[in-house]
Amino acid sequence: MAPPAQAHRSPSPSQPSGKGEVSDLKSQLRQLAGSRAPGIDDSKRELFKKVISYMTIGIDVSAVFGEMVMCSATSDIVLKKMCYLYVGNYAKVNPDLALLTINFLQRDCKDEDPMIRGLALRSLCSLRVANLVEYLVGPLGLGLKDNNSYVRTVAVIGVLKLYHISAPTCIDADFPPTLKHLMLNDPDPQVVANCLSALQEIWSLEASTSEEASREREALISKPVIYYLLNRIKEFSEWAQCLVLELVAKYVPLDSNEIFDIMNLLEDRLQHANGAVVLSTIKVFLHLTLSMTDVHQQVYERIKAPLLTLVSSGSPEQSYAVLSHLHILVMRAPFIFASDYKHFYCQYNEPSYVKKLKLEMLTAVANESNTYEIVTELCEYAANVDIPIARESIRAVGKIALQQYDVNAIVDRLLQFLEMEKDYVTAEALVLVKDLLRKYPQWSHDCIAVVGSISSQNVQEPKAKAALIWMLGEYSQDMQDAPYILESLTENWEEEPSAEVRLHLLTAVMKCFFKRPPETQKVLGAALAAGLADFHQDVHDRALFYYRLLQYNVSVAERVVNPPKQAVSVFADTQSSEIKDRIFDEFNSLSVVYQKPSYMFTDKDYRGPFEFSDELGNLSIAAESADNVVPAQGVEANDKDLLLSTSEKEEIRGATFNVSGYSAPLYDSSAASVQSELAIISSTSAGSAPSSSLAIDDLLGLGLSAAPAPEPASVPPSLKLNSKAILDPGTFQQKWRQLPISLSQEFSLSPEGVAALTTPQALLWHMQGHSIHCIASGGHSPNFKFFFFAQKAEESSNFLVECIINTSSAKAQVKIKADDQSTSQAFSDVFQSALSKFSV
Amino acid sequence: MISQFFVLSQRGDNIVFRDYRGEVQKGSAEIFFRKVKFWKDDGEEEAPPVFNVDGVNYFHVKVVGLLFVATTRVNVSPSLVLELLQRIARVIKDYLGVLNEDSLRKNFVLVYELLDEVIDFGYVQTTSTEVLKSYVFNEPIVVDAVRLQPLSPAAIFMQGTKRMPGTAVTKSVVANEPGGRKREEIFVDIIEKISVTFSSSGYILTSEIDGTIQMKSYLTGNPEIRLALNDDLLIGKGGRSIYDYRSSTGSGAVVLDDCNFHESVRLDSFDVDRTLSLVPPDGEFPVMNYRMTQEFKPPFRINTLVEEAGALKAEVIIKISAEFSASITANTIVVEMPLPKYTTRVSFGLEPGAVGQRTDFKEANRRLEWGLKKIVGGSEHTLRAKLTFSQESHGNITKEVGPVNMTFTIPMYNASKLQVKYLQIAKKSSTYNPYRWVRYVTQANSYVARI
């Protein structure tokens, strides 16, 4: 069934195979070329059509290039167009033959009919042959000045095509300034829009080598240009409006009046039937109001209805794109959408990619007032015939339970799932009950009664089996049969395919042993023996570890395996708030659909024009003050309330590590759970081998003890920095964009440092004392973001630093870019040493 | 910025293929098709409209079984590209009259002409059928419309009813009538998709109407048009919870939650007298989309009874009541219900004298299907099905079946009561009297009764 794998389509039997037909065409074309018989154009049309249809299905018809060109001497516009299409397709692979076409194309560029002029110019520029560029400059120059707007729109894009064939030719001919002039003066809106597209592309690509281009690019988002475009917004086609709005979203207004003016002007764009226009407008609104918490929330309220309308009108594909954007907004501000939960109910005939998004939204908006209804709805889906969605629904119920609302009722529902006797429902429910018990140990009694009645034979999925085994070990004192179930599982050790399950079985048997030694002793021996003989490295190691631990000291072993437990307050989030903010910055792009920032899925070469404002875009606010110590207020502190949920989770991240004394199963990496158990030993028996325990701490980055100032700090730094270094923000931005990251590291902060970092300013003064200057900063506890720079004392070689500090985890993530890459390590040492001395 | 555009048949053949920027490899159509076809091993999930393979982003929309695809390497707005693909399909349909594989294959040169003007070097230039007219020189080769699948919602008017001038919907904007002269006419269709979920006790859990006022104009000289809607039409529900049923209805006012408009629509007097004015461009386009969650009377009631009848048997009774006027007839009704997976056999019993009904047990996905050609308003229909199982059911049989889902089309009926009061053509001439068609239709989007 699979289509053939080779790059070129092998024609299906019903289609012509190629060769014979092509030579046939060749001779027929040749006959027609010289003929002047009446009706000749009709025969030509038929032949041309055949050629194009072969081309479409992937047959190489480049062999008839010469004949096609010969036949192109015609006044029939349909023939001309087909010929242009053909030539555009094959010129690149036949550069020599392409030369043949130049003549007639150049002639057509001077035709009386503007249509012909435009078509010819477009085809001329589409040849994509580098050694023909000299022929393009003249016609393009004329085309840009043509009195017909169609020809001008074609010429503007032609300039861009020329740039991609030969950038120097395009720049030397001074085309970009011409485009700029046209953009600001042409009466035709499509000419203006094309100029904007072309200039964005050209200047973004040029910016890496030319200061001027970089300035020009910045000028596109200057007030005069933005206002000029905004004032004409309604003249533009809907597609061009999207282009303009995308640009406006990057503009940073001076004051709130300006913001309101822009928003009032664009208000009616939210009623547009084209979803792309609405989303671009929403992006403008969201970005403009980032620093105005109240207004920002009003924007959320305002855009709700238009978004919901777009979701329900249009094709399923279009509504998916809109729904993805609604999803990201719901995840950022669930409380604003809490009363709209019914809109996120799944419909019978929706594709599963839509249902998945909706389930996530339902989970997010659940609160005290709507949880009951949402969970009831989700339980309907759990019984659904669509198994993947049924599974997701059960997981959603579990997530809501973990969010703490109305747990009582939910636990009952989950237990009902266990009794439904559908294997996949049982499997999902077991995993959830396990998570739930980790958070609410008080429910253990009810849950264990039900879990105890489940036969382990009916549970096959590794995750579910592991969860069941974990509960058997954890609650073995309450489950009468626990040792015997574990025994029968151990007997089937060889048949168990999943290493994860075997790991859990080892641990569960250990736990059970300490609670009910006489009944378990025999099983423990069997399990350890089986584990030691296991071919899987992790299983083997864990068995060996337990064995030696028991040999060393049984009571220590008990402390390791069965430590007093603390309930997990919140589970770690999978995505960092940094990533989420990045995605939000890239609103109305693929990042939202993929739920990844663009750098994760886009090749470097193609990031250019659309990556207009990277992380430094924010900095333009700080650019006005000369001393640069003034923080970019509000930029990072944007919509504080809305961000709360994500930053809270960030905080919790640290928290989960801190309660790692609780040896709960870590499913995603079974190796890590061994390590965390190791770490516990080192901290509980710290007295015996302090040095090794520190090494382990560092290795794991668990932050169990205050991170000591690392080794390099004690060595006097060899790099001398200029204490009076100056760098203007514009240059900083440009350099930041151009330079690659030469080092990316994570440092620890001293507890004193964390305590002193109540505002960003404190750190700024400190770092300045070490000749490291701040150019912009922002944020609120626990997340701060800084951009620093420093210069070498002897030469003007710069170091640029992005430093993100999270005070709750006492970590600083540092990215360093340097003019002189070879010294970046030395600088990193200096930076780290300075940071570690903060407030000490 | 789009790198390539192509249309694939259901079998994965290129029907048209246009490379605008040469940034994506030529084999992209194959890569795309394989990916879509084998998205997940189990075949249970379909490919999303947007995905990324090796740095190339693939966008696709499905139209009449064809795949309209765009590729790009840059991080563009997904809405823009998907909207564009849909629009390209519509423009092509405007030109060809009928859009399907056959008409595309016959007219691919014309389609290339269109594509050349719609996108240049990856940037959208225009998607206006009207503007494109001056750039397109091929005459469309018209294909026979009768046996073709409908593309747009408007095409449902073709189903049977004689009152509807079926050919008009499939008329090309450029081709002339066989008689040589163009017929002056304009179509305004009010198309509503309704979604209702009934609880097991018959209570309405959620309901929503998604409507579109669709226009297709064949008027020469682009005269201005005024469309008047209900005087008492309200938009937005300030402060009220969207699902607050108590305070709605009674007054008879139509309350829309929200709506949006085509860019040609001017709303100067909309706030005063609920009138839309516009100069309709050529081709088919939505004048207004709207959404309503105000309570409305569902056209059908569904009663389902599931009972165990012995160890390996159960009986299902489904009753459909049409709660609309007897002058209206619903057509192409299908009722579906998932059955327990251990169902081996189903025997059906229809009412005596039932005509135009069919029943089926889809064994592959354990589904009961009941089709009715038409249902007259006010009537009731019942289906009895005896199920045979291969194993005993665990306890509650009702947990193993359902929900019941229904699809239907009801011409000349609209659930929302939104109306076009009049359609005025501002062209001053006593002899000028074009045909005006205002048509209503309601379709089920998701019409579900839980058990």
Side-chain angles (χ1 to χ4, degrees), chain A residues 170-317:
Chain A
C170 179
I171 303 293
D172 293 345
D174 248 1
F175 280 136
T178 317
L179 292 194
K180 188 179 178 185
H181 178 81
L182 270 181
M183 181 179 82
L184 297 174
N185 296 291
D186 201 283
D188 185 88
Q190 194 55 43
V191 174
V192 174
N194 283 356
C195 287
L196 179 58
S197 305
L199 287 175
Q200 286 203 35
E201 243 189 80
I202 294 174
W203 279 333
S204 296
L205 290 167
E206 283 293 297
S208 55
T209 49
S210 148
E211 295 250 343
E212 194 200 334
S214 155
R215 264 199 308 279
E216 289 285 7
R217 187 177 65 162
E218 297 302 317
L220 284 179
I221 45 172
S222 66
K223 189 167 172 174
V225 177
I226 293 288
Y227 275 49
Y228 163 76
L229 293 170
L230 276 177
N231 285 327
R232 297 186 66 175
I233 189 98
K234 284 182 190 154
E235 296 171 35
F236 290 110
S237 76
E238 48 199 316
W239 314 106
Q241 286 183 16
C242 295
L243 184 74
V244 170
L245 290 169
E246 206 49 45
L247 190 74
V248 175
K250 287 162 194 152
Y251 173 64
V252 184
L254 285 176
D255 55 32
S256 54
N257 288 337
E258 231 188 305
I259 293 176
F260 291 123
D261 284 350
I262 294 176
M263 285 172 53
N264 285 326
L265 181 76
L266 296 177
E267 166 73 22
D268 64 349
R269 296 296 93 193
L270 291 174
Q271 280 197 336
H272 205 288
N274 184 332
V277 173
V278 178
L279 281 174
S280 319
T281 311
I282 288 176
K283 181 176 185 176
V284 172
F285 281 26
L286 290 172
H287 282 201
L288 284 182
T289 57
L290 268 180
S291 57
M292 309 158 85
T293 314
D294 294 349
V295 188
H296 196 66
Q297 289 206 14
Q298 283 172 25
V299 169
Y300 273 79
E301 294 286 355
R302 174 68 188 89
I303 62 185
K304 236 198 263 182
L307 279 173
L308 289 168
T309 306
L310 286 176
V311 169
S312 51
S313 57
S315 67
E317 293 91 359

Side-chain angles (χ1 to χ4, degrees), chain A residues 328-616:
Chain A
I328 180 183
L329 296 175
V330 167
M331 297 323 242
R332 276 179 88 82
F335 58 94
I336 292 182
F337 295 89
S339 60
D340 304 296
Y341 62 96
K342 286 196 179 182
H343 287 292
F344 310 137
Y345 282 2
C346 296
Q347 289 186 340
Y348 186 78
N349 46 1
E350 281 170 337
S352 48
Y353 52 79
V354 167
K355 286 183 178 165
K356 276 189 188 160
L357 281 181
K358 287 192 162 179
L359 288 176
E360 281 182 37
M361 292 196 264
L362 276 176
T363 315
V365 299
N367 65 13
E368 291 90 336
S369 59
N370 59 22
T371 290
Y372 181 80
E373 290 190 51
I374 291 180
V375 171
T376 307
E377 181 74 12
L378 288 171
C379 290
E380 289 284 343
Y381 307 154
N384 207 309
V385 278
D386 183 350
I387 294 177
I389 292 304
R391 283 175 182 275
E392 294 280 347
S393 308
I394 298 168
R395 276 177 225 152
V397 172
K399 277 188 207 149
I400 293 174
L402 294 174
Q403 282 167 8
Q404 252 167 355
Y405 303 113
D406 201 7
V407 186
N408 206 337
I410 302 177
V411 171
D412 283 349
R413 305 281 183 87
L414 277 179
L415 295 179
Q416 278 173 20
F417 286 151
L418 286 178
E419 289 162 349
M420 264 171 70
E421 295 197 38
K422 286 189 181 175
D423 44 2
Y424 60 91
V425 176
T426 311
E428 291 296 337
L430 271 176
V431 175
L432 282 179
V433 170
K434 179 260 308 171
D435 284 343
L436 213 60
L437 286 177
R438 290 173 63 195
K439 186 162 176 183
Y440 309 110
Q442 65 269 32
W443 291 104
S444 62
H445 195 73
D446 303 69
C447 295
I448 290 314
V450 181
V451 171
S453 67
I454 292 173
S455 162
S456 60
Q457 264 101 38
N458 294 343
V459 182
Q460 288 310 325
E461 290 175 35
K463 272 184 189 243
K465 208 165 183 178
L468 179 64
I469 290 171
W470 181 81
M471 287 187 272
L472 285 169
E474 202 57 47
Y475 297 96
S476 43
Q477 72 279 21
D478 305 322
M479 292 163 96
Q480 199 64 47
D481 305 338
Y484 309 103
I485 300 173
L486 289 172
E487 186 170 356
S488 75
L489 285 166
T490 309
E491 277 165 13
N492 294 323
W493 187 278
E494 297 291 326
E495 279 92 68
E496 177 52 57
S498 160
E500 184 187 344
V501 173
R502 299 201 300 274
L503 280 171
H504 280 291
L505 188 54
L506 266 179
T507 308
V509 171
M510 277 290 274
K511 285 178 185 165
C512 189
F513 171 72
F514 290 111
K515 285 168 185 158
R516 299 164 71 171
E519 293 157 285
T520 323
Q521 196 167 10
K522 195 172 131 245
V523 197
L524 181 62
L528 286 177
L532 285 170
D534 202 285
F535 62 89
H536 194 278
Q537 194 66 48
D538 290 342
V539 180
H540 170 82
D541 287 359
R542 189 180 290 193
L544 190 63
F545 166 70
Y546 283 152
Y547 178 71
R548 296 214 171 128
L549 194 58
L550 288 165
Q551 257 188 339
Y552 168 71
N553 184 334
V554 176
S555 64
V556 169
E558 178 165 15
R559 279 213 309 264
V560 170
V561 178
N562 272 343
K565 278 171 216 65
Q566 232 181 326
V568 180
S569 58
V570 177
F571 290 87
D573 204 5
T574 46
Q575 231 175 16
S576 77
S577 63
E578 174 79 9
I579 297 245
K580 286 180 182 163
D581 288 349
R582 269 294 188 105
I583 297 172
F584 185 70
D585 286 342
E586 296 175 335
F587 194 83
N588 194 22
S589 77
L590 288 167
S591 314
V592 176
V593 175
Y594 299 152
Q595 301 183 15
K596 284 178 193 163
S598 59
Y599 67 83
M600 289 184 172
F601 61 86
T602 312
D603 294 346
K604 226 177 175 180
D605 299 344
Y606 297 99
R607 278 182 218 153
F610 289 83
E611 205 66 348
F612 212 103
S613 59
D614 51 15
E615 66 266 55
L616 273 175

Side-chain angles (χ1 to χ4, degrees), chain A residues 4 9 56 81 150 161 194 201 238-239 271 279 309 312 315 317-318 348-349 377 588 590 594, chain B residues 12 21 30 57 75 77 79 87 112-113 117 120 123 125 127 135 258 260-261 367 405 445 450:
Chain A
R9 161 171 296 276
T56 302
K81 282 185 145 188
Y150 175 70
K161 290 175 185 165
N194 283 356
E201 243 189 80
E238 48 199 316
W239 314 106
Q271 280 197 336
L279 281 174
T309 306
S312 51
S315 67
E317 293 91 359
Q318 287 158 293
Y348 186 78
N349 46 1
E377 181 74 12
N588 194 22
L590 288 167
Y594 299 152
Chain B
R21 291 183 67 102
E30 310 241 335
N57 302 297
N75 187 18
S77 156
S79 286
R87 206 65 71 79
Y112 276 125
E113 263 192 291
E117 302 299 334
D120 194 4
Y123 292 103
Q125 301 298 304
T127 51
Y135 306 120
D258 185 49
N260 61 38
F261 302 95
R367 213 175 273 260
N405 176 56
N445 183 28
R450 290 184 176 152

Side-chain angles (χ1 to χ4, degrees), chain A residues 495-797:
Chain A
E495 279 92 68
E496 177 52 57
S498 160
E500 184 187 344
V501 173
R502 299 201 300 274
L503 280 171
H504 280 291
L505 188 54
L506 266 179
T507 308
V509 171
M510 277 290 274
K511 285 178 185 165
C512 189
F513 171 72
F514 290 111
K515 285 168 185 158
R516 299 164 71 171
E519 293 157 285
T520 323
Q521 196 167 10
K522 195 172 131 245
V523 197
L524 181 62
L528 286 177
L532 285 170
D534 202 285
F535 62 89
H536 194 278
Q537 194 66 48
D538 290 342
V539 180
H540 170 82
D541 287 359
R542 189 180 290 193
L544 190 63
F545 166 70
Y546 283 152
Y547 178 71
R548 296 214 171 128
L549 194 58
L550 288 165
Q551 257 188 339
Y552 168 71
N553 184 334
V554 176
S555 64
V556 169
E558 178 165 15
R559 279 213 309 264
V560 170
V561 178
N562 272 343
K565 278 171 216 65
Q566 232 181 326
V568 180
S569 58
V570 177
F571 290 87
D573 204 5
T574 46
Q575 231 175 16
S576 77
S577 63
E578 174 79 9
I579 297 245
K580 286 180 182 163
D581 288 349
R582 269 294 188 105
I583 297 172
F584 185 70
D585 286 342
E586 296 175 335
F587 194 83
N588 194 22
S589 77
L590 288 167
S591 314
V592 176
V593 175
Y594 299 152
Q595 301 183 15
K596 284 178 193 163
S598 59
Y599 67 83
M600 289 184 172
F601 61 86
T602 312
D603 294 346
K604 226 177 175 180
D605 299 344
Y606 297 99
R607 278 182 218 153
F610 289 83
E611 205 66 348
F612 212 103
S613 59
D614 51 15
E615 66 266 55
L616 273 175
N618 292 341
L619 286 177
S620 43
I621 285 186
E624 277 125 55
S625 58
D627 56 357
N628 297 325
V629 191
V630 181
Q633 77 277 31
V635 174
E636 289 296 319
N638 53 38
D639 61 346
K640 189 173 116 206
D641 296 13
L642 299 176
L643 270 178
L644 208 61
S645 53
T646 47
S647 50
E648 254 174 5
K649 282 171 189 157
E650 191 72 0
E651 209 164 27
I652 284 139
R653 245 165 189 248
T656 20
F657 279 122
N658 292 337
V659 296
S660 57
Y662 184 70
S663 69
L666 292 172
Y667 290 120
D668 41 353
S669 67
S670 37
S673 89
V674 179
Q675 286 179 331
S676 71
E677 280 167 15
L678 270 172
I680 295 146
I681 306 184
S682 60
S683 59
T684 45
S685 59
S688 58
S691 56
S692 70
S693 89
L694 281 178
I696 289 168
D697 285 346
D698 273 0
L699 180 68
L700 297 173
L702 286 175
L704 286 174
S705 58
E711 213 69 50
S714 54
V715 182
S718 55
L719 189 72
K720 288 267 183 296
L721 295 175
N722 177 2
S723 63
K724 293 192 174 68
I726 293 171
L727 192 67
D728 74 278
T731 322
F732 185 93
Q733 281 191 52
Q734 198 197 339
K735 280 185 180 296
W736 185 262
R737 227 175 265 129
Q738 289 165 6
L739 292 168
I741 294 177
S742 55
L743 271 175
S744 180
Q745 284 174 311
E746 190 175 84
F747 300 139
S748 299
L749 252 66
S750 64
E752 296 86 359
V754 170
L757 192 61
T758 48
T759 63
Q761 278 80 353
L763 184 65
L764 306 192
W765 298 116
H766 170 79
M767 296 307 273
Q768 205 160 25
H770 293 263
S771 304
I772 297 169
H773 308 271
C774 182
I775 197 150
S777 66
H780 276 274
S781 183
N783 289 307
F784 295 95
K785 188 167 181 177
F786 302 88
F787 286 99
F788 293 107
F789 70 93
Q791 265 167 13
K792 281 192 201 168
E794 319 73 68
E795 47 186 313
S796 69
S797 171

